[in-house]
Amino acid sequence: MTSLKHALLAVATFLAATILLLQAAQAEPCAPQTFEGANYIVCTVDPGKADLRLFWKSANGEPYRYFSSLAEALQAGGRTLVFAVNAGMYRQDFSPLGLYVENGKELKPANTKTGGSAGSVPNFYKKPNGVFFLDGEGAKILPTDDFLKRRPAARFATQSGPMLVISGALNPIFIPGSTDRTRRGGVGVCGGSVRIAISEDEVNFHDFARLFRDQLQCQDALFLDGGHGVGLYDPALGRNDRSWHGGYGPILGLVE
């Protein structure tokens, strides 16, 4: 009888531990996903319940550049950086290439220029580009022209491009089967959730946009950066990526 009790106790302990592990796994915002044979990391956040925000410069006025620098600064203030990604394209001095709003202050104006010549337009200037922003109602993505017309009261905003998904439709500039393949990062607004995806494999724009529309069910999505600019910080996944450009500019991160 004693051995039976011990066995039942062991089973109960095992089940309790398994439930705790499953709950912990479910609580992690970032997880691997596959879509049509390509590997991705996808992070899902409810902006109404979580502290998702943008970062650029530290208290001394210098760009953080590294995820670890931001994590250390937050830790010194008693907070934790749960995960972070590059939040958009940036210049050689690590300043945002386009609009950047942090804590309600516009630190960089919108970039409405057209770049490059026909056939060689840099990604940021491919039309339409757009703005991902957080306001009192949650998270949204708008084409840049629409954002500038509406001028929403954004707490945080970052401009990048091109738009991947616009009101449920793929950006029509994308070419199915394109050989322009590289690692890519982007953000989508999907119902009440924000989904941030980075590709672990090289993918083209058309396939990357379809990940957001068809698998992640995002009504709107925005490309953030590609190639060596793609990066992820997530201690739970053992990730603290470094940019080959010497650092990152704006950073999108979840804080606890």
Side-chain angles (χ1 to χ4, degrees):
M1 192 69 177
T2 301
S3 59
L4 178 59
K5 287 182 178 179
H6 286 164
L8 291 173
L9 180 60
V11 170
T13 303
F14 173 78
L15 289 174
T18 301
I19 290 170
L20 288 173
L21 287 171
L22 287 172
Q23 289 175 338
Q26 290 172 352
E28 297 298 341
C30 303
Q33 288 196 29
T34 59
F35 178 65
E36 296 184 341
N39 295 305
Y40 298 87
I41 301 293
V42 177
C43 305
T44 302
V45 178
D46 181 343
K49 298 179 180 179
D51 191 359
L52 185 66
R53 55 176 54 211
L54 288 162
F55 302 90
W56 175 25
K57 292 182 178 181
S58 65
N60 64 9
E62 295 296 321
Y64 284 106
R65 294 178 54 186
Y66 307 111
F67 295 137
S68 55
S69 298
L70 173 57
E72 289 166 6
L74 288 167
Q75 187 175 32
R79 308 200 69 188
T80 299
L81 182 63
V82 180
F83 78 83
V85 297
N86 170 10
M89 292 166 228
Y90 48 94
R91 304 181 189 277
Q92 290 185 345
D93 64 356
F94 307 102
S95 63
L97 187 55
L99 174 73
Y100 182 80
V101 176
E102 186 175 324
N103 293 318
K105 295 181 180 180
E106 183 179 296
L107 303 182
K108 284 289 180 179
N111 185 337
T112 58
K113 298 176 182 177
T114 56
S117 57
S120 61
V121 179
N123 288 332
F124 180 92
Y125 298 101
K126 289 175 179 174
K127 299 299 183 182
N129 61 20
V131 178
F132 167 76
F133 63 99
L134 295 156
D135 63 12
E137 299 177 352
K140 300 181 181 70
I141 297 172
L142 288 172
T144 299
D145 289 347
D146 290 350
F147 182 91
L148 294 177
K149 287 176 185 176
R150 301 184 191 185
R151 289 288 181 179
R155 292 185 299 111
F156 297 94
T158 181
Q159 181 187 5
S160 192
M163 291 283 291
L164 299 170
V165 182
I166 310 165
S167 299
L170 299 185
N171 189 328
I173 67 173
F174 299 149
I175 303 169
S178 170
T179 58
D180 178 14
R181 305 174 70 85
T182 188
R183 293 186 66 215
R184 302 188 188 275
V187 59
V189 174
C190 325
S193 298
V194 172
R195 292 198 167 96
I196 301 154
I198 67 167
S199 69
E200 300 288 75
D201 299 318
E202 296 182 346
V203 295
N204 62 36
F205 268 123
H206 189 267
D207 293 344
F208 191 50
R210 287 188 56 247
L211 166 79
F212 280 96
R213 186 192 66 178
D214 299 343
Q215 178 144 313
L216 303 182
Q217 301 294 302
C218 300
Q219 297 80 24
D220 298 283
L222 179 68
F223 178 68
L224 292 175
D225 209 345
H228 299 317
V230 175
L232 171 68
Y233 173 87
D234 186 343
L237 295 177
R239 295 287 289 268
N240 182 18
D241 297 352
R242 288 251 178 165
S243 169
W244 287 21
H245 302 305
Y248 299 105
I251 295 171
L252 177 63
L254 176 63
V255 180
E256 288 183 347

